[in-house]
Structures are given as C-alpha cells and as structure tokens.
Amino acid sequence: MLKGNDKISANQVMFILLTTIIGVGILSLPRSVVEKASTDGWILIILGGITACILTAISVKLVNMFTNKTVVEFGRELITTPISNIVSIILFVYFIIFSAFEIRIFAEVVKMFLLDDTPTEIIIISMLFVSAYLVRGGIEGLARMAELILPVVVIPVFLLLLSLIPDLDFTNLLPIFRTNPLDIIKSVHITFFSFMGYELILLISAYVKDTENLMKFNILSILIVTLVYISFFVVSLSRFGENEVKHLLWPTLSLMKTIDLPGAFIENIEGIVMGLWVLSVFASLSPFYYSAALILCKLCRLKEHKYFVLPIMPFIYILSLVPDNIASAYDIMEKFTNYLGTFVVVIIPIGYLIVALIRNKGAANNG
C-alpha cells in the first residue's frame, strides 16, 4: 500500500535515472572504449545507447502492464510466488553488490585525490550513513534530491569542458572506421553496462502517478546519457590522444585536472570537480540502496522499507571491502556485470514480458 505523499512524476523518474546511470562508470568509460575500439569508441557508445533504449522500452512496456506494482509483486502473478521470490532475491543481491562497488570506487577516488590519510573504511561508512538517511525518506526524497543535484553538477562541469576547447586537438579523433565491425559488435557489452541503472524502473514505476509518460522520459534519459558519454569520450581523446587515454585509470578526472581557467581566479579546480563528483555519486548510490531495501520490504509484504535500510548497511560495507585494491574491484565488477548483470537487466524484463503476453496478464486483464 502506497502512502499518499509517496508519489513521483515520470519527469522525476528521468532525473533519478540520469543521476543513477552517470555515477562512477563515467570515470573509466573513455579508457574502456579506446582499448576496445580505438578512435571508433564513439560507435561503441552509440550502439550501447541503442541497446539500452531497446531494453528500457521493454522494461517500460512491462511495468505499464502492472500499474502500482513492483517487479516483486507482479512477478508473483507471472511465475508463481516461490520462483518469483528467488528472482527477487537475485535482484536484491544485484543491487547490494552494485552499491558496494560504487561505494568502493568512490572511497578509492576520494582517498587518492582528497583524503589520502583517511582510512578507506571511514570514507565508506560516512557515505553509507548519509545515503541511508536519504533512503529512509522514500522515493519522493530521492526524486527531489536528483532534481536538485543534477543541474548543480551538470552546469559547472559543462562550463569546465567548454574551457578546454582551445587545448583540444581534434585530429586525435582520426582515423575513423578503422576498427573491424565484428570486433565492435563483440565489445558492445562494454558500453552497454555503463547504462546500467535503467532497471530501477522495474521497482520505482509503482510510485509513478503519470505512467503514460514513462516511455518518453525513460528513453530521453538514455539519449541524454549517450550524449554525455560521447562528449566525455571526444574531449578526453582530443585532449590526451589514444595512447595516453589507454594508460589513464580515470581519464575523466585526469581531464578535469588539466583545466586552467583564464585569470586563475580559482586556484584549486580539482577540489571543485571532486566536490561535484561526490554529489553525483551520492545521487547514484542512493537509488540502488533504496531498491535493495524496497525489495526486502516487498518480499516480507510490509508497508515500510525503512526498517531494512540500516540492517542492509553492514552487507554493503563488507562487500565493498572484499577487493584487495582498485584493480581487483574492477575485475570483480566486470565478471559481475557479465553474468548477474546480464540476467537482471536483460533476462528478467524480457522473460517477464514474454510470460505476461503469453498469459495475457496485466492492466487489460486485471482491469
């Protein structure tokens, strides 16, 4: 049962998806696509965006058949309660692991650039408690925070990127179309998984009051993310060149360190960029954290998700400390996205939609 004030608009869903998808993935994306497709990395990003748009449309089509119900609830109608609960538990594990990965990368970046003497554990715990406070407030609080943070982050970063234009060498983008098309197709999964986050619609759609606009705003959010990724790829490659981008752990942050504003009226640009990025990670982590708590709430058939927010925290904390170092964290995350991530963002929405269509379930039948 939904609270009267726990409703959001389809427009707010777009803000949540934008802040969720553009999190820690953007840090290493330029390096990943250059390694796989060289100067043709922009093609990989476009293909990844197209794939994400198709799967987003499938997810929206599915949730529109079951208004006011999360994937946990309408899954029981489609594939029986025992099997649906197993799928929901897998979803819970997925959101927990993704949250742990995000918080670990966040801690490593902050430790490297800002708080080099602060233990990683303290950084992780601090962010988890701040995120937990927002998550306990529910979906409406998440939506309002996303609406507030997105322009605060995007506008300054866009202006900083504009200041780099005189230093860019666009000949670094050449030659194009030199990568084997088959190699590009095989590498699409690299960029597609950078769009992970749209699967949140399987849960938060139950709280949307104007579901007829979900398709439009969800597809728009993927298109915006695609443009953002292409922009950072083009600027990074133009600024550093192909060989240097391949050897940078986080090309996006390295890019921001090269900014030199005219007049030098701001001495430490790096500190400002890191502050904006911390806000971005906060807005990206919280929806995953919220989704994990909401799944447990629906599995237990309770009304309030906030009872599960703090009990979940130790699991995220412990999992975030499993990797020995940043290289190990990325290696584990790659395997995680290739297997569990594929099941969650591809198999579940497609499988559920097929079953719903075959069994003629959904809004028409329920109505």
Side-chain angles (χ1 to χ4, degrees):
M1 187 174 180
L2 304 178
K3 296 182 294 183
N5 63 343
D6 214 6
K7 283 284 190 177
I8 60 175
S9 65
N11 179 53
Q12 288 176 310
V13 172
M14 181 182 70
F15 279 92
I16 292 176
L17 293 185
L18 286 173
T19 54
T20 301
I21 296 173
I22 306 176
V24 298
I26 197 173
L27 296 181
S28 58
L29 180 67
R31 171 177 55 82
S32 300
V33 296
V34 168
E35 287 177 345
K36 294 296 183 179
S38 187
T39 52
D40 293 325
W42 57 274
I43 301 177
L44 272 183
I45 297 174
I46 292 175
L47 292 178
I50 292 173
T51 305
C53 281
I54 294 172
L55 289 169
T56 299
I58 291 173
S59 299
V60 174
K61 171 67 175 177
L62 173 64
V63 298
N64 278 340
M65 297 174 69
F66 301 92
T67 55
N68 297 327
K69 292 181 181 179
T70 65
V71 65
V72 180
E73 294 164 316
F74 64 70
R76 291 170 179 151
E77 299 180 20
L78 294 175
I79 56 174
T80 72
T81 299
I83 300 177
S84 172
N85 286 346
I86 293 174
V87 173
S88 298
I89 291 172
I90 294 175
L91 272 170
F92 169 76
V93 172
Y94 165 83
F95 286 121
I96 288 293
I97 294 178
F98 213 103
S99 299
F101 171 75
E102 284 221 357
I103 201 73
R104 177 60 185 269
I105 300 301
F106 164 78
E108 294 290 346
V109 173
V110 170
K111 188 175 178 64
M112 181 178 295
F113 289 93
L114 290 178
L115 307 173
D116 54 334
D117 294 326
T118 304
T120 302
E121 294 82 357
I122 299 300
I123 299 174
I124 291 174
I125 291 174
S126 300
M127 176 58 90
L128 281 176
F129 271 109
V130 175
S131 181
Y133 178 79
L134 175 62
V135 170
R136 282 176 60 87
I139 188 65
E140 190 176 13
L142 287 174
R144 294 185 184 278
M145 182 59 67
E147 287 180 309
L148 176 64
I149 287 179
L150 191 65
V152 170
V153 172
V154 169
I155 294 175
V157 170
F158 177 73
L159 293 176
L160 290 174
L161 287 179
L162 287 180
S163 69
L164 282 171
I165 290 180
D167 300 321
L168 300 182
D169 182 4
F170 292 104
T171 60
N172 289 334
L173 300 173
L174 301 174
I176 60 174
F177 303 120
R178 67 175 180 176
T179 307
N180 189 315
L182 187 60
D183 292 335
I184 290 180
I185 293 174
K186 290 180 179 178
S187 303
V188 169
H189 69 280
I190 297 295
T191 50
F192 166 66
F193 286 119
S194 295
F195 290 88
M196 289 171 72
Y198 70 83
E199 63 278 5
L200 291 172
I201 194 64
L202 296 174
L203 289 161
I204 63 178
S205 62
Y207 300 90
V208 178
K209 55 191 175 185
D210 53 337
T211 53
E212 67 277 3
N213 294 322
L214 265 179
M215 184 70 75
K216 175 178 65 177
F217 284 112
N218 276 261
I219 297 298
L220 180 59
S221 65
I222 299 298
L223 294 177
I224 292 174
V225 171
T226 303
L227 291 176
V228 170
Y229 284 169
I230 291 176
S231 298
F232 274 97
F233 167 78
V234 169
V235 175
S236 297
L237 192 58
S238 301
R239 183 69 178 87
F240 298 122
E242 179 182 343
N243 292 330
E244 189 171 352
V245 169
K246 288 181 179 179
H247 293 89
L248 292 173
L249 179 60
W250 296 308
T252 303
L253 287 181
S254 300
L255 185 68
M256 294 302 175
K257 291 175 66 176
T258 66
I259 294 175
D260 184 18
L261 293 180
F265 61 92
I266 299 179
E267 184 176 353
N268 190 358
I269 295 294
E270 186 178 332
I272 295 176
V273 172
M274 285 304 302
L276 295 173
W277 184 73
V278 168
L279 285 175
S280 178
V281 173
F282 172 63
S284 178
L285 169 66
S286 298
F288 284 111
Y289 194 169
Y290 169 80
S291 297
L294 184 62
I295 288 174
L296 286 186
C297 172
K298 298 302 180 182
L299 279 172
C300 297
R301 301 179 187 270
L302 298 178
K303 297 179 181 179
E304 294 290 345
H305 74 282
K306 62 183 179 182
Y307 302 130
F308 299 96
V309 174
L310 292 180
I312 287 174
M313 188 183 296
F315 293 97
I316 299 177
Y317 173 76
I318 293 171
L319 287 172
S320 69
L321 296 177
V322 168
D324 296 327
N325 49 51
I326 190 64
S328 176
Y330 274 109
D331 184 56
I332 293 173
M333 190 59 187
E334 182 179 357
K335 295 176 181 176
F336 161 72
T337 53
N338 286 341
Y339 298 100
L340 186 60
T342 300
F343 179 77
V344 169
V345 303
V346 179
I347 304 301
I348 290 179
I350 293 178
Y352 273 4
L353 180 60
I354 291 174
V355 174
L357 293 174
I358 292 176
R359 300 186 61 182
N360 196 25
K361 292 282 186 176
N365 195 29
N366 293 338

